Amino acid sequence: KSGSKGGGEMESLSPGRNGRTLVAPSGWAFAIWGPIFLGELVFVVSQVFIPETAPIAPLIKKVTAPFVMAQYFQTLWTAAFRPKYSGNLMFISTGMLGATAYSLSKAHAHIVATPKSYSPLQYILYFLPIALHFGWTSAATLVNLNGAISMKELSSSAKLVRWVGHVSVLTAAALGIYISVNRSAPVYGGVIMWALSAVADGMKQRVKNTEKEDPERVGVFGALMQKRLSSLGALTCGAASLFASISLYVLKSRNNESVTP
């Protein structure tokens, strides 16, 4: 019985026909976990080969503490995100994901503060996975929050689910734009664009699969608008990411010119 109930709960969080939440990315979006954890494995193992006197060593030391805390919270999320934790207990996993994103934000702040301390290759090997992880857990926190709210039997009205979904998408877009531009972090905006594109695709499936259903039911009400908002958010985050990339390129070119005799 519990297994059947758990399966039903997981199905209700899907982007397809039976979903209740409006922040339900298509399944392809979760492929991002692969490069995140493989890349972070490289980051951890490679530190064995970095001498203490290397220019990048001080930055790695600063990044290590918040990075480790993020892994602790990520592990706790894995333990909390299970079917047996229902009702208000579902918000525990949301909190763990939020704490993961916050810890990664601290690590990310150290990385973007000293761009001259690493080469492009070192960034890809050591810090790109952390930036991906930061962006994805920011989005995943909102996915988890919406799932928890939509599953609450007493409060999951169609209007509440719709408005929480819309606000979440706008919040994700605002974060993507702000952090991309303010921190000159194109990767973060790119990841949020990826997440919002997946939500838009999920809502496209939802709208198509529920054409003959009650348009007022939870998970259907507001799905079309959610698709449009997600698509718009993805476009704006993509633009912010491109702007940040160009800004970094121009800054690097100016720095190179200033050191040329």
Side-chain angles (χ1 to χ4, degrees):
K1 182 178 180 180
S2 60
S4 175
K5 179 181 178 182
E9 289 178 351
M10 294 301 104
E11 186 180 79
S12 72
L13 304 181
S14 72
R17 181 183 182 89
N18 296 318
R20 290 173 61 86
T21 169
L22 293 185
V23 185
S26 287
W28 53 262
F30 297 94
I32 197 172
W33 283 120
I36 286 174
F37 286 125
L38 287 174
E40 289 181 345
L41 176 62
V42 172
F43 167 67
V44 171
V45 173
S46 64
Q47 293 180 44
V48 176
F49 307 101
I50 300 175
E52 289 283 340
T53 56
I56 201 174
L59 176 57
I60 290 180
K61 290 179 180 179
K62 292 180 180 179
V63 168
T64 296
F67 174 77
V68 170
M69 290 304 301
Q71 301 306 318
Y72 281 135
F73 286 123
Q74 184 81 64
T75 302
L76 290 172
W77 170 78
T78 303
F81 190 67
R82 291 189 286 174
K84 74 175 186 178
Y85 295 114
S86 58
N88 289 331
L89 293 179
M90 291 187 70
F91 292 103
I92 296 175
S93 60
T94 303
M96 293 302 102
L97 265 184
T100 302
Y102 177 78
S103 299
L104 290 168
S105 174
K106 294 297 184 181
H108 185 261
H110 288 304
I111 295 168
V112 299
T114 54
K116 294 182 180 179
S117 62
Y118 49 83
S119 67
L121 179 59
Q122 287 175 320
Y123 175 79
I124 293 172
L125 287 175
Y126 306 138
F127 305 131
L128 176 59
I130 295 175
L132 292 173
H133 200 173
F134 172 36
W136 183 244
T137 50
S138 299
T141 298
L142 295 171
V143 173
N144 210 140
L145 174 64
N146 278 263
I149 290 175
S150 70
M151 286 304 300
K152 285 179 65 64
E153 295 181 1
L154 297 180
S155 61
S156 59
S157 68
K159 288 185 178 180
L160 175 64
V161 170
R162 180 190 65 174
W163 285 112
V164 173
H166 292 350
V167 170
S168 295
V169 164
L170 294 174
T171 299
L175 281 173
I177 295 168
Y178 176 77
I179 292 178
S180 293
V181 175
N182 188 57
R183 293 189 178 184
S184 296
V187 173
Y188 185 89
V191 174
I192 300 300
M193 178 184 70
W194 169 273
L196 290 176
S197 297
V199 173
D201 188 49
M203 291 302 98
K204 180 180 178 181
Q205 297 177 39
R206 181 77 57 79
V207 171
K208 180 180 178 180
N209 293 336
T210 58
E211 289 180 349
K212 298 180 179 180
E213 292 192 22
D214 180 5
E216 301 294 318
R217 86 157 172 87
V218 176
V220 177
F221 187 51
L224 181 59
M225 177 58 71
Q226 186 77 339
K227 173 184 173 294
R228 292 169 177 168
L229 289 175
S230 299
S231 297
L232 179 60
L235 285 173
T236 55
C237 285
S241 179
L242 179 61
F243 175 80
S245 298
I246 294 172
S247 297
L248 284 174
Y249 176 79
V250 171
L251 179 62
K252 183 178 180 181
S253 298
R254 290 176 178 174
N255 289 335
N256 290 338
E257 290 176 359
S258 65
V259 299
T260 302

